Amino acid sequence: MFSLEKLVSIIQAWLQSTLRDPWAYVVVCVMVGVAAIALFAILGLMLVYMERKVAAHMQIRLGPNRVGPMGLFQTTADTLKLVMKEGLTPDGADKFLFNLAPFMVMIAAMLILAPIAFAKNFQIWDISIGVLYVAAVSSVAVIGILMAGWSSNNKYSLLGAMRSAAQIVSYELSAGLSILAIVILSGSLKISDIINSQADGWWIIKGHIPVIIAFIVFIIAVTAETNRAPFDLAEAESELTAGFHTEYSGMKFALFFLAEYINIFIGCAIGATIFLGGWMPFHIGNWEAFNHVMDFIPSSLWFIGKTVFLIFLIMWFRWTFPRLRVDQLLNLEWKYLLPISMVNLLVVTLMAIMGWHL
Amino acid sequence: MLEELGTNDQGDMIINVGPQHPSTHGVLHLVITLHGETVKKVEPHLGYIHRSIEKMSESLSYRQFSYVTSRMDYLSSHINNHACALAVEKGLQLEIPGRAQYIRVILDELTRIASHQLWWGALAMDLGAFTPFFYSFREREMINEVMEETCGARLTMNYIVPGGVMFDLHPDFQKKVKIFLAEFKSKIHEYNELVTGNIIFQNRTKGVGYISKENAISYGMTGPSGRGSGFKCDVRKLHPYELYDQLKFEEITEEGGDAFARYMVRIREMEQSMNIIEQLIDNIPEGDFQAKTKAVLKLPKGDFYSRVETARGELGVYIVSEGGTTPYRIKYRSPGFSNLSALNDLAVGGKLGDLMATMGTLDLVIPDIDR
Amino acid sequence: MFLKEYFKTVYQTISSLLTGMRLTGYYFTHTKEIITQQYPETKPVLADRFRGEVIMPHNETNEHRCTGCTACELACPNGTIKIVTKNEINAEGKKKKAIDTFVYRLELCTMCNLCVQACPSDAIIMSNAFEHSVYDRRLLTKVLNKPGSKIMEGVE
Ligand code: SF4
Ligand code: SF4
């Protein structure tokens, strides 16, 4: 059976037997870096393709279907086009910040990749404060967006960046609180511990209604944090043309574009890990035969499947709803999501203390 | 000078929306004074798509000048042509055959539905939802096909000509229109599910872009935009032309005066238009589709005015004739221009996002404003 | 009381959003509802009346019906048609006006059909060709009467 865990251990054993110790580590680091970048590129291409197909089918269209079988290479062609385009820097722009911003956004997205468990024992860095790390790093992205908006010397960009800052900062709260609910239940910040605590059932099932509420709040918050419709105020095409990346072109624009999709992937991966059990297969109580069949599916597939499901959900939102207004956006957070998730957190704590969740 | 720097002395930001902007639906240029996100002033700058249609018409004959009006409010080109034809017929004192009247009214109402469908999609797009646009185009396409079969064009029709209509109806016309009506009735609930009932949409439009009835009248807002403020201004009721005095239909008004009221007027108007078509489609009389006219039309000396209700409001055509083959002067009273003039009143105090909702529900077609 | 209102709003919000999602979800899962055409492969079937371009039909013996009366030129609102006439000596030895070149500038034409209506001898009609794109603008200026063509017998 295919398993990423075995692959990793084989590679590691081989490296350690052929190279001396420090060099083995260096090679591993390089390999991880290359793998991460490759993953990004592939993810970006696949997700953009997926988005276009999902959008098309919801809009009774066919979507990309010309380049390659079923239009699979359409996004590759688009990327090539973007790479070849001239990267303009506007005249009045703050050149340094303007060019730095897309990389900031991209690096922030890349950093969050570290603690995500793609399969059983397949994780770049199982840091002991995994969840906290994710919450912390994900707010770095807003600096990149602010930089882009400010340095473009364009009023649309500035408005977009300001909106984005207000939005990300406030939705961070409810995202954090809903993650906390699970941290309380599983008793650990470490990603692998959280996943292991779901061996006998995912939190969304074990945790009853409070966790479902937390899950819904989390999904909304992730949608908002990634600046996706209906919360795409930072880009708000019909109001701000393209918001904070109005002035970007060519590869720098592509980086923003890519970062958006990477952020979606990461948000959904965290959601899948925390609420849907990460790579944990679906188990029902003591149906041995059923559980065995479920175990047979590779853990990486479980993880990818759950993540893609959540991504689909977010895309579904985007292609259904109109956009909120900026004050409504903040109302939603401060008047609805935040109080609900706070009360919810109390209930979850009570649940954890009383042990109702088992 | 300060305006050019982008801020004024109160520290407000001045931004240019347009002439190229996704939500102005054409080359409208708005200079907006923003305080944070709040709109303090909206100043439309016109002229980017001025083609001097009125001046041009002075050198065109009475058969020729109306084709240009298809390019004014291109979404109600039939109705524009109709207005021109009516004015010329008034001058010639021409009785047009019954069949032509029926055809004209049916096509007018089909145009109105098509226009409102497109507006619905475009409004949703302004508010950030892309999908409704495609659903509305699906039904609009059926109308376009009907038009294509009968009139030979899909947008710029030039089908209603002085004296009647250009061709007879296509044999499939009645059948296709009935299919469309049935189909659209079965689909209109989707419009409500996807947009009307959507809580985000309601919050975006309710209480936004309010204008009182008095103000609407004094700005000269007509059409669904005026009726959204309770102003009874339907030309089809007030000054019936063609068959409208014999038809049973309701003049839709809403009291709200906000964007949502204007939205509801249009949605309900589509149903009324279907109602009108249903009354007519089965009893189109046989006979000529065009009255006998001379090859070269000559209007007597005098001035002639006709008014019709387009999808956007009252369109007036004023022809001054010196007795020749070309008009001495033509003036169009286009609905979009007056509706746009109210924009500042509607948008001030709202957020930037509200401006898009307001503009969307005013249903501006820029070539209609600039002509 | 306040709480009741609060939860009612929450409930209404969620249900209205779910209604919308059900609709888009329906179309996502029902691919047979897709209405787009694959354009170059499946050509659209255009109505006979569709006005795509003015043409002058010729019969097998390369004859057309145009008398060169310039009624269409006068009817055209934007100078799309230019007719050059010549004098021809016919069989009986009489001089007769005939068409030399019928210049039609597609890029100016608005497909208003006025020329076709004006023509007394039905010499020009609208075809429903719609693929007019060319790489050279000059190709859009067309001569509608074919080289060597003559006027049909009996058309006055
Ligand atoms: S269709 Fe109209 S614009 Fe074209 S050549 Fe004929 S009269 Fe002129
Ligand atoms: S095409 Fe018709 S109207 Fe034009 S010159 Fe020939 S005969 Fe006359």
Side-chain angles (χ1 to χ4, degrees), chain A residues 58-61 155-156 158-159 163 230 237-241 319-328, chain B residues 6 13-17 21-23 37 126-128 130-131 134-135 198 200 203-204 208 352 354 356:
Chain A
M58 285 188 178
Q59 296 170 343
I60 44 178
R61 296 185 288 125
K155 283 172 238 169
Y156 286 126
L158 186 61
L159 275 174
R163 284 179 172 190
E237 189 199 277
S238 57
E239 294 159 31
L240 304 178
T241 55
W319 298 109
T320 308
F321 302 137
R323 178 186 309 121
L324 275 78
R325 204 170 58 209
V326 68
D327 53 327
Q328 289 163 357
Chain B
M13 187 151 73
I14 293 165
I15 64 173
N16 291 299
V17 173
H21 189 274
S23 70
E37 282 263 350
D126 282 349
L127 297 181
F130 287 84
T131 308
F134 293 89
Y135 296 171
N198 188 298
I200 303 176
N203 281 335
R204 282 293 304 271
V208 165
L352 183 57
D354 291 342
M356 305 311 158

Side-chain angles (χ1 to χ4, degrees), chain A residues 167-175 221 224 231 329 332-333 337:
Chain A
Q167 176 181 339
I168 294 186
V169 167
S170 20
Y171 278 83
E172 202 94 286
L173 286 172
S174 43
F231 306 105
L329 177 93
L332 173 70
E333 164 67 16
L337 295 187

Side-chain angles (χ1 to χ4, degrees), chain B residues 52-318:
Chain B
S52 89
I53 284 180
E54 287 173 7
K55 190 72 192 163
M56 202 160 96
S57 301
E58 287 169 19
S59 60
L60 295 176
S61 77
Y62 289 111
R63 281 199 195 284
Q64 290 172 336
F65 83 97
S66 78
Y67 94 101
V68 202
T69 56
S70 304
R71 278 111 185 131
M72 274 162 42
D73 176 358
Y74 46 79
L75 294 177
S76 13
S77 57
H78 265 313
I79 314 183
N80 296 350
N81 296 158
H82 195 168
C84 296
L86 281 177
V88 174
E89 280 152 15
K90 235 181 220 171
L92 295 172
Q93 292 179 337
L94 206 62
E95 264 306 305
I96 70 155
R99 185 174 174 83
Q101 292 196 350
Y102 272 72
I103 298 174
R104 283 178 173 189
V105 172
I106 293 174
L107 287 176
D108 276 6
E109 295 307 319
L110 279 177
T111 311
R112 198 182 313 280
I113 296 178
S115 166
H116 284 351
Q117 280 169 338
L118 190 132
W119 154 83
W120 179 78
L123 171 69
M125 195 113 118
D126 282 349
L127 297 181
F130 287 84
T131 308
F133 197 67
F134 293 89
Y135 296 171
S136 72
F137 259 64
R138 177 185 50 191
E139 274 91 52
R140 188 169 176 273
E141 184 61 27
M142 301 182 73
I143 297 185
N144 271 349
E145 258 161 38
V146 171
M147 298 280 188
E148 190 183 309
E149 268 186 1
T150 292
C151 319
R154 296 162 66 88
L155 196 69
T156 49
M157 307 291 185
N158 195 31
Y159 175 69
I160 297 180
V161 293
V165 291
M166 200 178 251
F167 319 109
D168 203 358
L169 285 180
H170 192 270
D172 282 349
F173 180 78
Q174 275 150 307
K175 198 178 84 202
K176 287 244 171 123
V177 170
K178 277 184 209 155
I179 293 175
F180 161 73
L181 289 178
E183 181 79 1
F184 187 44
K185 276 197 182 139
S186 72
K187 288 277 163 60
I188 203 158
H189 73 98
E190 290 184 357
Y191 286 48
N192 294 329
E193 279 171 24
L194 199 59
V195 174
T196 318
N198 188 298
I199 189 89
I200 303 176
F201 174 78
Q202 294 201 350
N203 281 335
R204 282 293 304 271
T205 49
K206 277 190 180 160
V208 165
Y210 172 79
I211 186 159
S212 67
K213 186 176 168 184
E214 288 68 38
N215 276 347
I217 293 175
S218 56
Y219 276 115
M221 284 170 80
T222 48
S225 310
R227 290 196 284 280
S229 301
F231 172 28
K232 283 194 190 299
C233 54
D234 195 331
V235 182
R236 294 175 294 173
K237 283 279 186 206
L238 296 176
H239 305 276
Y241 50 100
E242 308 285 14
L243 300 167
Y244 282 114
D245 44 354
Q246 302 156 33
L247 293 168
K248 279 195 229 41
F249 68 99
E250 214 184 300
E251 176 175 359
I252 309 288
T253 50
E254 293 267 341
E255 296 305 317
D258 56 358
F260 191 69
R262 293 190 284 274
Y263 173 87
M264 281 320 284
V265 169
R266 289 200 177 84
I267 291 284
R268 289 171 56 200
E269 230 170 52
M270 287 201 265
E271 282 160 19
Q272 288 303 320
S273 291
M274 285 199 277
N275 180 4
I276 293 176
I277 296 171
E278 272 168 357
Q279 291 173 40
L280 297 176
I281 191 72
D282 280 325
N283 1 327
I284 303 177
E286 293 297 320
D288 283 345
F289 56 87
Q290 213 175 28
K292 289 265 174 304
T293 47
K294 297 213 193 75
V296 178
L297 300 179
K298 253 190 192 152
L299 254 62
K301 210 167 154 96
D303 37 358
F304 309 100
Y305 186 70
S306 71
R307 55 205 326 196
V308 294
E309 178 77 17
T310 74
R312 272 155 205 84
E314 177 179 337
L315 172 73
V317 177
Y318 183 56

